[in-house]
Amino acid sequence: MSQLYKVINFLKNCEEPQSVVSIISRTQVDITKNPSLWAKLVDNDKIEYNTVNKTFSYKPAYSIKSKEDLLDLLIKKRDEGGMDYRELKDSYSKLSDAVEELANEGQILVIRNKDGNPRVLFYNEMQYNTPIDEEFRKMWSEIEIPDETDLPKALENAGLKTMEVFEKKVVAEPKLKRSKTRNRKFKITNTHLSNIDLSRDYVPNK
């Protein structure tokens, strides 16, 4: 693990700005004795350096400090569809707990990977939730969903297409035709050359 990665990873898990002393103490990396490392931290897009307080802090893509902040973000983004869980991971160290709490409360919907980890998060708009007949729920749960890698083949076997593919016809560039050698006709102006075929090499009679 590089020293830069170690320091950034430490700051990522801190909710408050950290002093130089704190960074050295917690990471065992003395950034004051390594000018190159110091410069990389200060210039890093993900790190914010406070020149007044002399502190470093991680600058995530989204400002999330609690599950309420996460819920507010999903509400704001609800018209854009779901949010990728991976894009939110570095914004809040307790993201996983917040997601599970909001999901259990029914405030968000979570699409998960095979291992059960969150993949996409959606705000659950309660007004669109309608009662579903229990028989239909049972039928739905019994439907076998093919694996993502097998899905295109399964759709093909069912006579369905995932998307229309339009093949572009490649128009071959016309080849330049070589001009055929033609016997050129010359206008004879000198009468003493009238009996000589100028289209052939002239070989004098010996």
Side-chain angles (χ1 to χ4, degrees), residues 85-147:
Y85 179 81
R86 293 173 298 179
E87 294 181 359
L88 301 171
K89 282 185 70 175
D90 67 346
S91 298
Y92 184 39
S93 59
K94 299 178 182 178
L95 179 66
S96 178
D97 294 336
V99 168
E100 297 306 327
E101 288 181 23
L102 291 173
N104 291 333
E105 294 169 3
Q107 299 198 64
I108 66 171
L109 302 174
V110 183
I111 295 180
R112 300 179 184 273
N113 295 318
K114 289 182 180 180
D115 55 9
N117 289 324
R119 180 179 177 184
V120 185
L121 310 179
F122 296 85
Y123 171 62
N124 186 13
E125 300 193 57
M126 301 292 187
Q127 67 269 27
Y128 297 122
N129 294 342
T130 56
I132 307 270
D133 185 78
E134 188 59 35
E135 183 179 356
F136 182 79
R137 287 173 177 266
K138 183 180 178 182
M139 292 172 59
W140 179 267
S141 61
E142 290 176 350
I143 297 176
E144 295 184 4
I145 307 296
D147 183 80

Side-chain angles (χ1 to χ4, degrees), residues 61-74:
Y62 302 97
S63 179
I64 303 175
K65 302 295 183 183
S66 64
K67 72 174 187 179
E68 288 75 22
D69 290 341
L70 174 60
L71 182 61
D72 289 341
L73 178 62
L74 292 175

Side-chain angles (χ1 to χ4, degrees), residues 26-39:
R26 301 287 296 277
T27 65
Q28 302 300 310
V29 177
D30 193 343
I31 59 178
T32 62
K33 294 182 178 180
N34 190 333
S36 175
L37 178 59
W38 180 281

Side-chain angles (χ1 to χ4, degrees), residues 12-200:
K12 183 189 294 185
N13 294 317
C14 296
E15 296 183 9
E16 301 296 332
Q18 299 295 309
S19 66
V20 174
V21 174
S22 176
I23 293 174
I24 297 173
S25 174
R26 301 287 296 277
T27 65
Q28 302 300 310
V29 177
D30 193 343
I31 59 178
T32 62
K33 294 182 178 180
N34 190 333
S36 175
L37 178 59
W38 180 281
K40 288 179 181 179
L41 281 172
V42 173
D43 296 336
N44 195 295
D45 293 336
K46 287 289 186 179
I47 301 298
E48 185 173 353
Y49 176 60
N50 189 315
T51 57
V52 177
N53 299 327
K54 307 294 183 184
T55 57
F56 290 87
S57 59
Y58 187 76
K59 190 167 54 178
Y62 302 97
S63 179
I64 303 175
K65 302 295 183 183
S66 64
K67 72 174 187 179
E68 288 75 22
D69 290 341
L70 174 60
L71 182 61
D72 289 341
L73 178 62
L74 292 175
I75 292 174
K76 291 177 182 177
K77 298 284 186 177
R78 65 181 181 274
D79 293 334
E80 301 176 20
M83 296 196 69
D84 193 326
Y85 179 81
R86 293 173 298 179
E87 294 181 359
L88 301 171
K89 282 185 70 175
D90 67 346
S91 298
Y92 184 39
S93 59
K94 299 178 182 178
L95 179 66
S96 178
D97 294 336
V99 168
E100 297 306 327
E101 288 181 23
L102 291 173
N104 291 333
E105 294 169 3
Q107 299 198 64
I108 66 171
L109 302 174
V110 183
I111 295 180
R112 300 179 184 273
N113 295 318
K114 289 182 180 180
D115 55 9
N117 289 324
R119 180 179 177 184
V120 185
L121 310 179
F122 296 85
Y123 171 62
N124 186 13
E125 300 193 57
M126 301 292 187
Q127 67 269 27
Y128 297 122
N129 294 342
T130 56
I132 307 270
D133 185 78
E134 188 59 35
E135 183 179 356
F136 182 79
R137 287 173 177 266
K138 183 180 178 182
M139 292 172 59
W140 179 267
S141 61
E142 290 176 350
I143 297 176
E144 295 184 4
I145 307 296
D147 183 80
E148 289 184 5
T149 55
D150 301 327
L151 186 57
K153 186 64 178 178
L155 289 172
E156 183 181 346
N157 292 338
L160 302 173
K161 294 182 180 180
T162 55
M163 61 180 293
E164 291 291 336
V165 179
F166 298 94
E167 295 183 359
K168 294 182 178 180
K169 294 183 178 181
V170 180
V171 180
E173 294 183 0
K175 295 182 179 180
L176 297 176
K177 294 182 179 180
R178 294 182 179 179
S179 58
K180 295 180 180 180
T181 304
R182 296 179 180 178
N183 292 333
R184 297 180 180 179
K185 296 182 178 180
F186 296 88
K187 185 177 181 180
I188 305 300
T189 55
N190 294 330
T191 55
H192 65 281
L193 298 177
S194 58
N195 295 325
I196 300 176
D197 185 358
L198 295 179
S199 64
R200 298 180 182 179

